[in-house]
Amino acid sequence: MQYKKIVMYKLAVALFFYTSAHAQIQDDTLVHLKDAVLLGQDRAPLLISIKYESDAAVQNINVAKYNTRVPTIDATYQAGLSTANNLTGIFYPYGILPMSGPPSSGNNYSPATGSAASILLNWQAVTFGQKEAQINVSTAEANSKKSELEQALFQHKINIISAYLDLLLAYDVVAIHTHNLERVQANLKQSRVLSNTGIKPGVDTALFLSELSKASVDLLNAQKQLQVYQLLLQQLIVTKNLPVPVDTAFLGQLPVAGISNDTSFSNVPVIKLGQSQVLLSESKERLLKKSYLPKLSVWGTGFARGSGFQSGNNSDDIKTWDGLQLSRFNYGAGVQLAFPIMKYGEVKRQLQQQQFITKAAKEKIEDSKLALTTQQNIANTTFNSSLAIATQTQQQLKTGQYAFKAMQTRYNTGLANFPDLIQAQYNLLKAELDVKTSYWDAWKALLLQAVVKGDEHIFLNEIK
C-alpha cells in the first residue's frame, strides 16, 4: 500500500512538471540578450512617450522663433446695437466698454446700430535681447528633454540586462533543484531495497519520502520564481510570449573586464541630465534679466467706422440700421517704446527664486556623483569578492560531490546512517547554489560598473 502511494505521488509530480513544461514551450520565445535590449528600447511605451515629449520640445524652438520674429496682424469686424449717451472725461476702463463721440445734451434711450473694422499690425522690432533669451530657453528645454530620454533609455537597457541575468540564475536554480530531486528519488529507491533486505530500518524510507516532499517544494518554488522573472523580462521587452534566454553559457564563467576608478562621470546619462537642467535654469535667469528692459514696437493700422447716429443725438438724426455700413475710413502708423518701470522689483524676486533653483540643480549633480562613486566602490568590492568566492565555491563543490558520493556508498553498504547522508546531500546542494550565485554576483558587479560608467557596452562586450 505504501509502495502504491509512492508511485502515485511520483506520477503526480511528473505529470505536473510535464504539463507546466509543455504549456510553457507553447508560449515561450527564444531571445538573445542583445536582441532583448533592442526590443525593449524600440517597444517600451514609456520610452516612446518621452521621445514624443522630446520631439515636442524641439518643435517648441520653432514656435519660439516664429512668435518672436514674426509680427502679429489682426483683422477684426464688429457690429452692435446701443444708445449714444456720452460725457467728456476720463475713467478707468477696466470692466467698462469705452464709448467714442462728443458729449450728449441729455439722455436719449433710442438705440442705433454701429460697426467697426480694422487691420492692426504689431511688431516688437527691438526687445534688447529678450527674443534671443526666449529662444535660448526653448533650446535648453529641448536639450534637457533629450537628456531625459537618454537617461530613461539607458536605465531601461540596464533593467533588461539585470532581468536577463536574474532569469538565467533562475534557470540554473531550477536545474540544481531538479538534480537534487533526482538524488532524493534515487536514495528513496535504494532505501526501500535496503529496508526489504533488513540492512536499514523501514523508517528510513519514510524519512526519504519526507525529503522527497521537501525537494519537490523547493523545485516548485524555484519554478515559480523563474516564471516571475520571465514575466518581468516580458514586460521590459514588450513581447506577447514568455522569453527564454539563449545566451546561457556566459553565466558559467567569470567576466574579465578591468574595473577603473575614474570619478569624472562626464558621460553618465544621469550627470548629463543634471547638467542640462542647470543650463535650462541658467537660461531662465538670463531671460528674467532681460524681461524688465524696454521694448520698441512698430504698429500700423487701417480702420473704418459706421454709426447710425449721424449728428448729435436728436431722434430725427438717428438712422437705426445705417450703422451697419462703414462710413469713415482711417489709417495710422507709429512706433512705441515701452519701459516697465515697476517690473524691476518683481523680476528681482523672480530672479532670486530662479537662482535658488539653479543652485539646487547643481547640488543634485553633486549628489549623483557621490552616489555613482559609492556604486563604483560597491561594484569593485563585489567583483573582487565574487572572484575570490567563486574559487572557494568551486573547491566547496568538488568536496561536496566527493563527500556525497562517499557517504552514499557508505549508506548503501550499511556503514552510514540517514542523518549523515542527508547532511552530505544538503552540503552538496548548498555548494551547487553557491557556485552559481558567485558567478551571478560577478556579472551583476560588472553591470553595476557599466551603470557607473554610463555605458551598457562595457557589459555587452563581455558576452561571447
Side-chain angles (χ1 to χ4, degrees):
M1 186 67 180
Q2 187 178 18
Y3 176 79
K4 290 183 178 179
K5 290 182 179 180
I6 296 172
V7 173
M8 292 299 294
Y9 176 83
K10 293 172 64 177
L11 287 175
V13 172
L15 180 61
F16 176 84
F17 291 157
Y18 173 80
T19 303
S20 299
H22 183 67
Q24 184 174 340
I25 290 174
Q26 292 178 337
D27 297 333
D28 285 348
T29 180
L30 300 177
V31 59
H32 292 275
L33 177 55
K34 294 182 180 180
D35 292 338
V37 173
L38 293 176
L39 287 174
Q41 73 180 27
D42 293 337
R43 296 179 177 179
L46 177 60
L47 297 180
I48 297 175
S49 172
I50 298 177
K51 184 180 184 304
Y52 284 139
E53 292 176 353
S54 179
D55 294 339
V58 173
Q59 185 61 33
N60 189 50
I61 299 176
N62 298 328
V63 174
K65 291 179 179 179
Y66 185 87
N67 289 339
T68 55
R69 294 176 179 174
V70 178
T72 61
I73 300 178
D74 299 321
T76 60
Y77 174 83
Q78 61 171 293
L81 179 69
S82 67
T83 58
N85 300 319
N86 195 18
L87 284 175
T88 299
I90 191 171
F91 62 91
Y92 187 65
Y94 180 78
I96 299 177
L97 296 177
M99 181 181 297
S100 63
S104 59
S105 59
N107 289 319
N108 187 337
Y109 298 106
S110 299
T113 56
S115 61
S118 72
I119 295 179
L120 175 64
L121 180 147
N122 193 345
W123 178 43
Q124 292 184 349
V126 181
T127 60
F128 299 95
Q130 293 183 52
K131 292 181 179 180
E132 290 73 15
Q134 182 61 58
I135 294 173
N136 291 337
V137 169
S138 300
T139 303
E141 288 176 343
N143 291 334
S144 178
K145 206 63 185 179
K146 180 181 178 182
S147 298
E148 181 182 346
L149 175 60
E150 292 176 353
Q151 163 63 12
L153 178 60
F154 176 72
Q155 187 59 54
H156 195 74
K157 291 178 180 179
I158 295 300
N159 291 339
I160 290 174
I161 297 173
S162 179
Y164 200 95
L165 284 174
D166 293 339
L167 184 55
L168 287 178
L169 179 62
Y171 269 105
D172 286 339
V173 170
V174 168
I176 290 172
H177 282 292
T178 299
H179 294 156
N180 184 63
L181 180 64
E182 293 172 352
R183 286 194 293 264
V184 176
Q185 290 173 337
N187 290 332
L188 173 62
K189 181 179 179 180
Q190 184 62 26
S191 70
R192 188 181 302 113
V193 175
L194 296 176
S195 176
N196 292 336
T197 58
I199 298 178
K200 289 293 181 180
V203 69
D204 280 13
T205 300
L207 294 175
F208 274 118
L209 280 173
S210 177
E211 292 300 321
L212 180 64
S213 178
K214 293 179 182 178
S216 299
V217 170
D218 290 339
L219 178 57
L220 291 173
N221 285 330
Q223 289 178 325
K224 178 193 70 175
Q225 194 62 44
L226 184 149
Q227 293 178 356
V228 169
Y229 286 132
Q230 275 188 307
L231 292 172
L232 292 175
L233 183 58
Q234 180 189 33
Q235 176 186 352
L236 290 172
I237 65 177
V238 193
T239 181
K240 295 181 179 179
N241 299 325
L242 292 176
V244 175
V246 176
D247 300 321
T248 59
F250 76 91
L251 198 59
Q253 58 189 12
L254 294 172
V256 295
I259 298 180
S260 63
N261 289 318
D262 180 21
T263 57
S264 62
F265 308 126
S266 58
N267 294 323
V268 181
V270 66
I271 299 298
K272 294 170 68 175
L273 174 60
Q275 291 171 342
S276 68
Q277 291 173 341
V278 170
L279 294 176
L280 173 58
S281 183
E282 290 176 343
S283 66
K284 289 181 178 180
E285 288 183 28
R286 289 189 289 269
L287 178 60
L288 287 171
K289 291 177 181 178
K290 301 287 185 179
S291 64
Y292 60 81
L293 296 178
K295 298 181 181 66
L296 179 64
S297 301
V298 178
W299 62 270
T301 182
F303 64 98
R305 288 285 312 276
S307 176
F309 300 98
Q310 299 299 316
S311 62
N313 66 342
N314 190 293
S315 60
D316 295 335
D317 295 328
I318 298 176
K319 306 297 182 181
T320 303
W321 302 108
D322 288 355
L324 297 178
Q325 300 178 4
L326 300 175
S327 58
R328 299 293 184 270
F329 303 90
N330 301 278
Y331 65 87
V335 294
Q336 174 181 284
L337 181 65
F339 188 88
I341 297 176
M342 299 303 295
K343 188 75 173 179
Y344 177 77
E346 177 187 354
V347 171
K348 180 180 178 181
R349 288 160 177 77
Q350 290 177 337
L351 185 58
Q352 290 174 343
Q353 176 192 23
Q354 193 63 46
Q355 288 172 342
F356 283 126
I357 294 176
T358 302
K359 291 179 180 179
K362 291 179 178 179
E363 291 301 323
K364 287 181 179 179
I365 294 178
E366 296 303 317
D367 181 70
S368 297
K369 289 182 177 180
L370 181 62
L372 288 171
T373 301
T374 302
Q375 289 179 351
Q376 181 172 257
N377 294 332
I378 293 174
N380 293 346
T381 301
T382 304
F383 186 83
N384 294 329
S385 298
S386 298
L387 296 180
I389 292 173
T391 302
Q392 296 299 322
T393 55
Q394 286 289 354
Q395 182 60 40
Q396 178 185 345
L397 178 59
K398 292 179 181 179
T399 304
Q401 291 171 338
Y402 173 80
F404 175 74
K405 290 180 180 180
M407 192 60 64
Q408 191 176 40
T409 302
R410 288 173 57 84
Y411 180 83
N412 292 340
T413 58
L415 299 178
N417 55 25
F418 173 83
D420 295 333
L421 178 59
I422 291 301
Q423 185 61 49
Q425 181 177 305
Y426 283 161
N427 292 339
L428 175 58
L429 176 61
K430 183 178 183 303
E432 291 172 337
L433 293 174
D434 288 346
V435 168
K436 294 300 181 181
T437 302
S438 64
Y439 279 63
W440 176 81
D441 280 339
W443 285 101
K444 279 282 188 173
L446 181 62
L447 180 60
L448 183 56
Q449 187 65 30
V451 173
V452 172
K453 299 301 180 183
D455 184 7
E456 71 278 5
H457 294 95
I458 293 177
F459 183 95
L460 294 176
N461 290 339
E462 286 294 307
I463 307 301
K464 306 301 182 182

